[in-house]
Amino acid sequence: MPGRLLSNLVRPSVHHHSIFPHSNSSSTSSVNEVSNTQVSSKKPSANSHERPQSPERRLSFSMDHFIHTYRDHNKEKRRNHGRSARSKERAGHVDAAAASAKLDVIVESPPLVCYGTPANSTGALFSGRLRVSVPETTGMVTLDKFDMHLIIKRTTKKPVSRDCPNCASRTEELTNWNFLTEPRSLKGGDHDFPFSYLFPGNLPASCNGSLGQVEYFLQAHAHNVNGEDYNFKMPLHIKRAILPSNDKSSIRIFPPTNLTGRIVLPSVVHPIGTFPVQMTLSGVLDKGEDTQTRWRLRKMMWRIEEHQKIVSTACAKHAHKIGGEGKGVLHQETRIIGHNEEKDGWKTDFDTAGGEITMEFEASINPTANPVCDLESSNGLESKHNLVIELIVAEEFCPNRNTKLITPTGAARVLRMQFNLHVTERSGLGISWDEEMPPVYEDVPASPPGYTMLNGSSIMEDYQGSPLPTPEYEELERMDSLRLDHSSTHSSARGRARLTTDDLITEPAEIATQNRAPSADSGSS
């Protein structure tokens, strides 16, 4: 049997040494531990030189292979060879990486958040720079191909064919950038190539659910004239945020009883954090002439359910499994991403008409459950959330004269209410790109405006001739008709005269003083 020493193949040794120094057993001995007397009896020669006997000798290859049949004796040799080969390959990669260029993306835009519903969102603006870093030791790198692609990948985790990558995922190119039209040489240092893209508002947000996944990534590629390729891949995370509005109020009735539940919920909830829930249960008291019957709340439980749904389509090769192309398989899954129960904390009021039970509690989503926000993708991936509230009420009655004499009737009911929740990311400042961005150059009108004729034949050009002469003031006419003083009245009757240099130098203050003096004398008289 492999791994055991057979008694008929083991010869006794006079030294009783074992080849395993750490073995606790001393009754077994090695196969090759042969006594000196037996060796001398086999080879009686006078001229032979006896080799010194070692107390421990290794097993021969044939016997070791016989004992350990399933041991691979060449495994260690192959392992050592593989390690040395990998170390050499790793060293070669390190040297190649140090000598080649490097691609990187520097994002300049804020986080990608689409505000509003897919039908009303204006999208998210994404801008940045694709950087090519060339080491100084390399000198110069000549690129003949340099482009980048923006890819969206939709993956289903329930494919029609498990081992087919075409059935599991679909990729779509949103846009691409080609930075070179001809080969370009880049010196040592950093070289930036700007780019920008406006994500449409109807695109689904990035998610990683239990049934499907939506992801975005940038994929850049550059090719050197020497045959070297430079690749870079960067994932992008797109979120969707719906701005909060007024709280929602919902009413549920529970026939055949008179119980009515009223719930007040926020318009949106977030994967991280708590949100308040206000609940009012009315109609808990039915008062008769002598006795009254009422419902008392014993326990309240709530849970948040996440409903995921996806339609898995097949590729052209495996379309026959689902009945042809254009068809798919629907997968649904429901899981609980938050729950709790309350046995107290509410207020019961039987003095009002009909009675009333009010309470307010905090609900939350467990972040460790990896929740997925509400979304609806074109590949059939859909995620929705519901808040389920269950109330356990027990019936009791008591006389009107003494309401402390309570007698349970033994009847109990479970009241279940379900409400839709809009789970979305936090909006932050809530300012979309089109509201915070200044106008671009294409939207700014030309300034100053052009002076053109209606027919559009005239244009405005800069004057390149000799300096124009200054006007002569002697040739200008006197504007006496605009003066309102006494002297101007008489001068206007004489007609218009020409201005002189003395008229332009004369200060108007003296004229005003002379005009005010007669008016003062006339007033005193």
Side-chain angles (χ1 to χ4, degrees):
M1 183 178 290
R4 297 181 57 186
L5 295 177
L6 303 180
S7 57
N8 56 352
L9 297 177
V10 178
R11 297 180 180 180
S13 174
V14 296
H15 298 284
H16 299 285
H17 291 290
S18 175
I19 63 173
F20 303 101
H22 298 287
S23 177
N24 296 328
S25 176
S26 59
S27 60
T28 59
S29 60
S30 174
V31 176
N32 288 344
E33 288 177 0
V34 185
S35 60
N36 298 334
T37 57
Q38 295 173 348
V39 174
S40 60
S41 62
K42 283 186 178 182
K43 295 181 181 180
S45 175
N47 299 329
S48 62
H49 298 282
E50 295 182 0
R51 290 180 294 180
Q53 299 297 325
S54 174
E56 296 181 1
R57 298 179 61 186
R58 298 181 60 183
L59 293 173
S60 63
F61 177 78
S62 59
M63 188 57 65
D64 188 24
H65 181 72
F66 178 78
I67 296 175
H68 304 286
T69 308
Y70 298 98
R71 177 182 293 176
D72 190 356
H73 298 278
N74 297 326
K75 185 176 182 180
E76 190 68 22
K77 183 183 294 184
R78 291 196 302 266
R79 184 183 294 111
N80 296 335
H81 178 72
R83 290 175 181 174
S84 60
R86 285 194 299 269
S87 62
K88 294 179 180 179
E89 183 179 0
R90 189 182 299 110
H93 284 310
V94 171
D95 296 338
S100 61
K102 180 181 178 182
L103 302 181
D104 193 9
V105 171
I106 301 175
V107 180
E108 297 177 344
S109 57
L112 300 175
V113 180
C114 297
Y115 292 97
T117 60
N120 302 325
S121 177
T122 57
L125 183 62
F126 177 63
S127 61
R129 292 172 292 158
L130 180 58
R131 172 169 294 181
V132 182
S133 300
V134 180
E136 298 293 343
T137 56
T138 305
M140 182 176 294
V141 174
T142 303
L143 301 179
D144 57 356
K145 184 179 180 181
F146 189 26
D147 56 5
M148 185 170 62
H149 303 266
L150 178 58
I151 307 296
I152 176 175
K153 184 178 180 180
R154 298 179 176 93
T155 305
T156 174
K157 298 182 180 180
K158 301 287 185 179
V160 176
S161 180
R162 182 178 302 178
D163 300 328
C164 180
N166 296 327
C167 293
S169 62
R170 299 283 192 277
T171 58
E172 179 184 354
E173 181 179 307
L174 297 179
T175 186
N176 61 80
W177 298 272
N178 189 7
F179 298 101
L180 296 182
T181 57
E182 59 183 8
R184 181 175 177 180
S185 299
L186 303 178
K187 299 180 180 180
D190 297 336
H191 306 271
D192 294 340
F193 298 85
F195 64 90
S196 63
Y197 179 71
L198 178 61
F199 284 90
N202 58 356
L203 288 178
S206 302
C207 70
N208 186 12
S210 57
L211 295 180
Q213 183 179 4
V214 177
E215 55 183 342
Y216 300 83
F217 56 88
L218 286 172
Q219 189 171 2
H221 172 72
H223 184 266
N224 195 348
V225 294
N226 296 332
E228 297 179 353
D229 291 330
Y230 314 109
N231 297 311
F232 179 78
K233 186 176 181 179
M234 175 182 176
L236 300 177
H237 190 66
I238 300 180
K239 300 180 181 180
R240 181 172 299 279
I242 300 177
L243 301 179
S245 58
N246 298 331
D247 294 343
K248 301 183 302 180
S249 180
S250 303
I251 298 177
R252 300 290 187 270
I253 58 176
F254 305 95
T257 64
N258 296 327
L259 298 176
T260 303
R262 183 175 181 271
I263 301 295
V264 179
L265 292 172
S267 59
V268 295
V269 298
H270 308 292
I272 300 177
T274 61
F275 58 93
V277 180
Q278 299 177 7
M279 185 191 68
T280 302
L281 187 64
S282 58
V284 297
L285 178 63
D286 186 9
K287 194 172 184 180
E289 296 181 358
D290 299 332
T291 61
Q292 58 180 353
T293 304
R294 53 193 185 185
W295 296 92
R296 188 176 294 275
L297 182 60
R298 298 299 183 184
K299 189 178 181 180
M300 190 276 298
M301 298 170 291
W302 64 268
R303 66 178 181 270
I304 300 177
E305 297 178 348
E306 182 180 85
H307 304 275
Q308 293 188 21
K309 171 175 78 170
I310 193 171
V311 178
S312 299
T313 58
C315 63
K317 182 179 179 180
H318 300 94
H320 64 278
K321 293 185 177 181
I322 55 177
E325 297 183 0
K327 298 183 179 181
V329 181
L330 177 62
H331 300 277
Q332 295 181 356
E333 180 178 307
T334 301
R335 64 191 185 114
I336 298 176
I337 58 176
H339 65 92
N340 197 5
E341 64 180 28
E342 302 288 345
K343 297 183 178 180
D344 54 9
W346 52 81
K347 180 181 179 181
T348 305
D349 185 10
F350 293 126
D351 297 333
T352 60
E356 192 176 64
I357 299 175
T358 59
M359 72 174 302
E360 183 175 353
F361 60 92
E362 297 285 337
S364 62
I365 298 176
N366 187 9
T368 59
N370 191 18
V372 178
C373 296
D374 290 5
L375 64 91
E376 186 173 356
S377 178
S378 59
N379 65 335
L381 179 60
E382 184 178 345
S383 176
K384 294 183 178 180
H385 301 81
N386 292 329
L387 173 64
V388 180
I389 299 178
E390 295 181 351
L391 306 176
I392 299 178
V393 294
E395 189 182 29
E396 59 186 20
F397 77 95
C398 61
N400 293 335
R401 295 181 179 179
N402 190 359
T403 57
K404 295 183 179 180
L405 298 177
I406 302 173
T407 304
T409 61
R413 290 181 179 271
V414 178
L415 310 179
R416 183 178 291 107
M417 298 175 285
Q418 183 172 330
F419 308 94
N420 185 26
L421 287 181
H422 294 284
V423 181
T424 179
E425 295 288 346
R426 295 188 179 273
S427 59
L429 297 178
I431 302 176
S432 180
W433 68 271
D434 54 345
E435 297 179 358
E436 68 177 2
M437 180 179 176
V440 296
Y441 293 106
E442 289 79 3
D443 299 334
V444 178
S447 179
Y451 299 94
T452 59
M453 301 297 291
L454 295 178
N455 55 7
S457 59
S458 61
I459 58 175
M460 182 170 55
E461 299 179 353
D462 295 337
Y463 180 74
Q464 304 293 340
S466 60
L468 297 177
T470 57
E472 298 180 0
Y473 293 102
E474 289 78 9
E475 297 179 358
L476 296 179
E477 298 180 358
R478 183 188 297 271
M479 303 298 294
D480 293 335
S481 60
L482 299 179
R483 298 177 61 181
L484 300 180
D485 53 353
H486 180 72
S487 60
S488 63
T489 305
H490 297 283
S491 61
S492 60
R494 294 192 302 266
R496 295 183 179 178
R498 295 182 179 276
L499 292 174
T500 61
T501 307
D502 298 336
D503 296 334
L504 299 176
I505 298 175
T506 304
E507 296 181 359
E510 299 178 357
I511 302 175
T513 305
Q514 297 175 0
N515 294 337
R516 284 196 296 267
S519 61
D521 298 339
S522 61
S524 60
S525 60

